[in-house]
Amino acid sequence: MNIDELYQTIILDHYREKHHSGLREPYDAEVHHVNPSCGDELTLRVALDGDTVRDVSYEGVGCSISQASTSVMTDLVIGRGVEDAMGLYDDFLEMMHSKGEIAPDEDRFEDAIAFAGVSKFPARVKCALLSWSALRDAVNQTSTKDS
Ligand code: ZN
C-alpha cells in the first residue's frame, strides 16, 4: 500500500464509522459552520471541564473529507488541554496550507496525517479545516461567556 492509498483508507474508515458523532448534552457552546464551496455543513458542540476539552459532539453533512476530518479531530482533542488542542489546530492549519510540502508528524497528528494528502488539492483544504475552525470558534465562545 502506498502512502496515498493509506491516507485514503484512513479517511474512508472515519467517514464510514464516525467517532463521537451525534449532539450531546451538556455543552458550553454550539456553533454552526458551512463550507459553501463544497456544501459541507457542521453543527458542533464543545463541553469543557476547566481547561480540558471534556467532549466534542457534532452533526454534519457533506463530503467524505469534511466528515472524516471531524471524526479525526474529536479523537485528537477530547481529553486534551484547550491550549494544547488549539496548538494542534495551528500546526494542522500550517500543514494544510503547505501544499503537501510539510510532512506530518505521526506521533502528534495520529490519523490526521491522512489530510497531508488533501493539502495538495486547494479546493478540498476547506473541507478538512471546517471542523477545526468550528472547534476554535466554539472554544472562543466559551471563553467570552466566562469573562
Ligand atoms: Zn467538502
Side-chain angles (χ1 to χ4, degrees):
M1 193 186 279
N2 70 34
I3 193 86
D4 286 327
E5 283 168 346
L6 172 69
Y7 287 167
Q8 223 159 33
T9 304
I10 294 173
I11 288 173
L12 279 178
D13 281 353
H14 276 275
Y15 178 56
R16 290 196 186 110
E17 198 175 323
K18 291 184 272 291
H19 300 181
H20 310 106
S21 73
L23 291 169
R24 289 180 291 278
E25 296 189 6
Y27 60 93
D28 297 304
E30 179 182 286
V31 296
H32 184 73
H33 277 215
V34 295
N35 172 22
S37 60
C38 179
D40 309 317
E41 287 194 39
L42 179 68
T43 301
L44 181 140
R45 290 175 176 175
V46 67
L48 301 183
D49 185 3
D51 291 332
T52 302
V53 179
R54 188 170 54 74
D55 193 25
V56 178
S57 63
Y58 61 94
E59 220 165 66
V61 289
C63 68
S64 55
I65 292 171
S66 70
Q67 301 269 301
S69 174
T70 310
S71 173
V72 170
M73 181 274 288
T74 60
D75 276 354
L76 279 168
V77 303
I78 292 173
R80 197 181 276 266
V82 171
E83 226 169 282
D84 192 16
M86 291 300 102
L88 197 59
Y89 172 52
D90 288 338
D91 291 349
F92 185 72
L93 195 64
E94 193 185 6
M95 179 182 83
M96 292 311 296
H97 286 146
S98 77
K99 299 183 173 68
E101 293 300 312
I102 295 180
D105 177 347
E106 197 173 343
D107 288 335
R108 187 153 161 75
F109 283 137
E110 299 176 22
D111 280 356
I113 56 164
F115 299 95
V118 176
S119 76
K120 293 174 204 156
F121 306 99
R124 312 310 301 276
V125 165
K126 278 187 184 157
C127 303
L129 291 175
L130 179 69
S131 62
W132 288 90
S133 57
L135 173 73
R136 186 168 65 182
D137 189 17
V139 165
N140 284 345
Q141 289 193 21
T142 65
S143 50
T144 357
K145 203 173 64 182
D146 287 344
S147 60

